[in-house]
mmCIF file of all heavy atoms in Angstrom:
data_model
loop_
_atom_site.group_PDB
_atom_site.id
_atom_site.type_symbol
_atom_site.label_atom_id
_atom_site.label_comp_id
_atom_site.label_asym_id
_atom_site.label_seq_id
_atom_site.Cartn_x
_atom_site.Cartn_y
_atom_site.Cartn_z
ATOM 1 N N HIS B 95 -17.786 -41.706 0.747
ATOM 2 C CA HIS B 95 -17.496 -41.100 -0.550
ATOM 3 C C HIS B 95 -18.011 -41.941 -1.699
ATOM 4 O O HIS B 95 -18.121 -41.472 -2.824
ATOM 5 C CB HIS B 95 -16.000 -40.880 -0.694
ATOM 6 C CG HIS B 95 -15.218 -42.129 -0.857
ATOM 7 N ND1 HIS B 95 -14.777 -42.869 0.208
ATOM 8 C CD2 HIS B 95 -14.815 -42.776 -1.975
ATOM 9 C CE1 HIS B 95 -14.128 -43.933 -0.230
ATOM 10 N NE2 HIS B 95 -14.132 -43.894 -1.544
ATOM 11 N N HIS B 96 -18.348 -43.240 -1.436
ATOM 12 C CA HIS B 96 -18.889 -44.061 -2.519
ATOM 13 C C HIS B 96 -20.327 -43.684 -2.814
ATOM 14 O O HIS B 96 -20.840 -43.984 -3.875
ATOM 15 C CB HIS B 96 -18.770 -45.541 -2.166
ATOM 16 C CG HIS B 96 -19.451 -45.888 -0.878
ATOM 17 N ND1 HIS B 96 -18.906 -45.599 0.353
ATOM 18 C CD2 HIS B 96 -20.641 -46.472 -0.620
ATOM 19 C CE1 HIS B 96 -19.712 -45.999 1.322
ATOM 20 N NE2 HIS B 96 -20.776 -46.520 0.743
ATOM 21 N N LEU B 97 -21.009 -43.041 -1.872
ATOM 22 C CA LEU B 97 -22.372 -42.606 -2.120
ATOM 23 C C LEU B 97 -22.406 -41.224 -2.760
ATOM 24 O O LEU B 97 -23.149 -40.967 -3.704
ATOM 25 C CB LEU B 97 -23.156 -42.572 -0.802
ATOM 26 C CG LEU B 97 -23.325 -43.928 -0.112
ATOM 27 C CD1 LEU B 97 -23.990 -43.730 1.250
ATOM 28 C CD2 LEU B 97 -24.178 -44.839 -0.976
ATOM 29 N N TRP B 98 -21.638 -40.308 -2.193
ATOM 30 C CA TRP B 98 -21.552 -38.952 -2.743
ATOM 31 C C TRP B 98 -20.083 -38.632 -2.917
ATOM 32 O O TRP B 98 -19.302 -38.708 -1.957
ATOM 33 C CB TRP B 98 -22.170 -37.937 -1.796
ATOM 34 C CG TRP B 98 -23.641 -37.991 -1.700
ATOM 35 C CD1 TRP B 98 -24.541 -37.446 -2.569
ATOM 36 C CD2 TRP B 98 -24.412 -38.600 -0.658
ATOM 37 N NE1 TRP B 98 -25.817 -37.677 -2.124
ATOM 38 C CE2 TRP B 98 -25.779 -38.400 -0.961
ATOM 39 C CE3 TRP B 98 -24.097 -39.316 0.494
ATOM 40 C CZ2 TRP B 98 -26.812 -38.857 -0.177
ATOM 41 C CZ3 TRP B 98 -25.122 -39.780 1.279
ATOM 42 C CH2 TRP B 98 -26.463 -39.555 0.953
ATOM 43 N N LYS B 99 -19.698 -38.238 -4.124
ATOM 44 C CA LYS B 99 -18.279 -37.945 -4.381
ATOM 45 C C LYS B 99 -17.791 -36.784 -3.518
ATOM 46 O O LYS B 99 -16.663 -36.788 -3.063
ATOM 47 C CB LYS B 99 -18.096 -37.565 -5.857
ATOM 48 C CG LYS B 99 -17.527 -38.689 -6.688
ATOM 49 C CD LYS B 99 -17.194 -38.137 -8.064
ATOM 50 C CE LYS B 99 -16.765 -39.251 -9.007
ATOM 51 N NZ LYS B 99 -16.704 -38.789 -10.373
ATOM 52 N N GLN B 100 -18.673 -35.810 -3.321
ATOM 53 C CA GLN B 100 -18.208 -34.602 -2.617
ATOM 54 C C GLN B 100 -17.930 -34.874 -1.149
ATOM 55 O O GLN B 100 -17.317 -34.073 -0.465
ATOM 56 C CB GLN B 100 -19.207 -33.452 -2.788
ATOM 57 C CG GLN B 100 -20.480 -33.586 -1.992
ATOM 58 C CD GLN B 100 -21.562 -34.274 -2.808
ATOM 59 O OE1 GLN B 100 -21.289 -35.100 -3.663
ATOM 60 N NE2 GLN B 100 -22.818 -33.912 -2.567
ATOM 61 N N ALA B 101 -18.357 -36.043 -0.671
ATOM 62 C CA ALA B 101 -18.122 -36.347 0.743
ATOM 63 C C ALA B 101 -16.653 -36.363 1.063
ATOM 64 O O ALA B 101 -16.247 -36.059 2.189
ATOM 65 C CB ALA B 101 -18.756 -37.704 1.078
ATOM 66 N N LYS B 102 -15.813 -36.664 0.070
ATOM 67 C CA LYS B 102 -14.385 -36.752 0.373
ATOM 68 C C LYS B 102 -13.820 -35.399 0.781
ATOM 69 O O LYS B 102 -12.899 -35.334 1.591
ATOM 70 C CB LYS B 102 -13.627 -37.316 -0.828
ATOM 71 C CG LYS B 102 -13.553 -36.396 -2.004
ATOM 72 C CD LYS B 102 -12.721 -37.002 -3.102
ATOM 73 C CE LYS B 102 -12.593 -35.990 -4.230
ATOM 74 N NZ LYS B 102 -12.057 -36.572 -5.438
ATOM 75 N N THR B 103 -14.386 -34.327 0.253
ATOM 76 C CA THR B 103 -13.907 -32.992 0.629
ATOM 77 C C THR B 103 -14.258 -32.689 2.085
ATOM 78 O O THR B 103 -13.444 -32.179 2.843
ATOM 79 C CB THR B 103 -14.500 -31.939 -0.295
ATOM 80 O OG1 THR B 103 -14.284 -32.340 -1.628
ATOM 81 C CG2 THR B 103 -13.843 -30.596 -0.071
ATOM 82 N N TYR B 104 -15.506 -33.030 2.461
ATOM 83 C CA TYR B 104 -15.904 -32.799 3.866
ATOM 84 C C TYR B 104 -15.075 -33.651 4.806
ATOM 85 O O TYR B 104 -14.688 -33.208 5.884
ATOM 86 C CB TYR B 104 -17.383 -33.128 4.027
ATOM 87 C CG TYR B 104 -18.295 -32.192 3.299
ATOM 88 C CD1 TYR B 104 -19.019 -32.598 2.211
ATOM 89 C CD2 TYR B 104 -18.409 -30.870 3.717
ATOM 90 C CE1 TYR B 104 -19.848 -31.735 1.523
ATOM 91 C CE2 TYR B 104 -19.234 -29.997 3.046
ATOM 92 C CZ TYR B 104 -19.952 -30.431 1.943
ATOM 93 O OH TYR B 104 -20.761 -29.572 1.295
#
Side-chain angles (χ1 to χ4, degrees):
Chain B
H95 70 274
H96 57 283
L97 296 174
W98 288 279
K99 258 189 187 168
Q100 74 268 31
K102 70 177 183 192
T103 309
Y104 292 111

